[in-house]
Amino acid sequence: MLNYIWAFMILIGVVYGAFTGKMAEVTNAALDSAGDAVSLCITMIGVMALWVGLMEIAQKSGLIAKLTKGIQPFISFLFPGIPKGHPAREYIAANLIANVLGLGWACTPAGLKAMEELAKLEAERGTPGYVSADGKRVASNEMCTFLILNISSLQLIPVNMIAYRSQYGSVNPAGIIAPAIVATFVSTAVAVVYCKMKDGNRRV
């Protein structure tokens, strides 16, 4: 669907440029945007390499393991149905830690592995609600909670936004940190309350 929307917007722009006699401007804008896209990609690759490298160092030094252990009570609060010691808990913790540090690239593999482990857990349980009437798999309660929490994404260091602002000439790229912390804290708090309310309704 998004491909059709973007194609439609591009077509409208080209047609409008042709009818208004501004095809030269349209062409120049397309070329300039292509150059900006390449430049932005190079910048983001550098940022990604830096932070993913720091994440790897933190993992090797045992920092991630300590942080993972430290947030286990929070994991138990949000996911009471996941047994202690289950691999899903470790992947969920790693994903949340990476998100808090603003490392979106580093959290994706852990998130995928967490979903895989949650799917295995539901299959092992043989949960009736895990399979719909037509035989298709549906997301479990834990999967939905994890997804909502992941999307709300509390961030202490919004690395992506800082990189974007720096690339496009912001005077103070790090000025986004305080508003980002407040916004993501509120979104995460709302996500937690919503998930616990839905979880309570489901258990009634």
Side-chain angles (χ1 to χ4, degrees), residues 9 31 34 55 63 75-76 79 84 87 90 101 118 121 133 157 161 193 195:
M9 292 174 64
L31 294 175
M55 188 73 173
L63 177 60
I75 301 297
S76 298
F79 304 93
K84 290 186 177 181
E90 181 179 349
L101 297 177
L118 290 175
L121 178 61
I157 309 174
M161 292 305 300
V193 172
C195 289

Side-chain angles (χ1 to χ4, degrees), residues 89-158:
R89 296 172 68 97
E90 181 179 349
Y91 289 122
I92 290 173
N95 177 272
L96 295 180
I97 291 170
N99 261 326
V100 168
L101 297 177
L103 307 178
W105 309 283
C107 75
T108 300
L112 294 175
K113 293 296 291 185
M115 281 296 189
E116 289 179 6
E117 293 298 332
L118 290 175
K120 292 178 183 177
L121 178 61
E122 291 303 310
E124 292 169 1
R125 288 173 174 169
T127 308
Y130 183 57
V131 180
S132 61
D134 56 0
K136 294 182 179 179
R137 292 183 175 180
V138 295
S140 66
N141 193 47
E142 286 83 6
M143 289 178 178
C144 293
T145 299
F146 175 63
L147 183 61
I148 293 172
L149 194 64
N150 198 276
I151 293 172
S152 66
S153 186
L154 172 64
Q155 290 190 9
L156 299 180
I157 309 174

Side-chain angles (χ1 to χ4, degrees), residues 6-30:
W6 282 110
F8 178 74
M9 292 174 64
I10 293 172
L11 181 61
I12 290 296
V14 172
V15 171
Y16 179 81
F19 275 101
T20 57
K22 296 183 178 180
M23 281 303 297
E25 286 83 349
V26 172
T27 302
N28 290 334

Side-chain angles (χ1 to χ4, degrees), residues 11 13 39 56 72 99 104 110 123 139 159 164 167 181 187 194 200:
L11 181 61
S39 178
E56 187 69 18
Q72 284 306 310
N99 261 326
V159 177
Y164 293 146
Q167 173 67 21
I181 291 175
S187 66
Y194 175 80

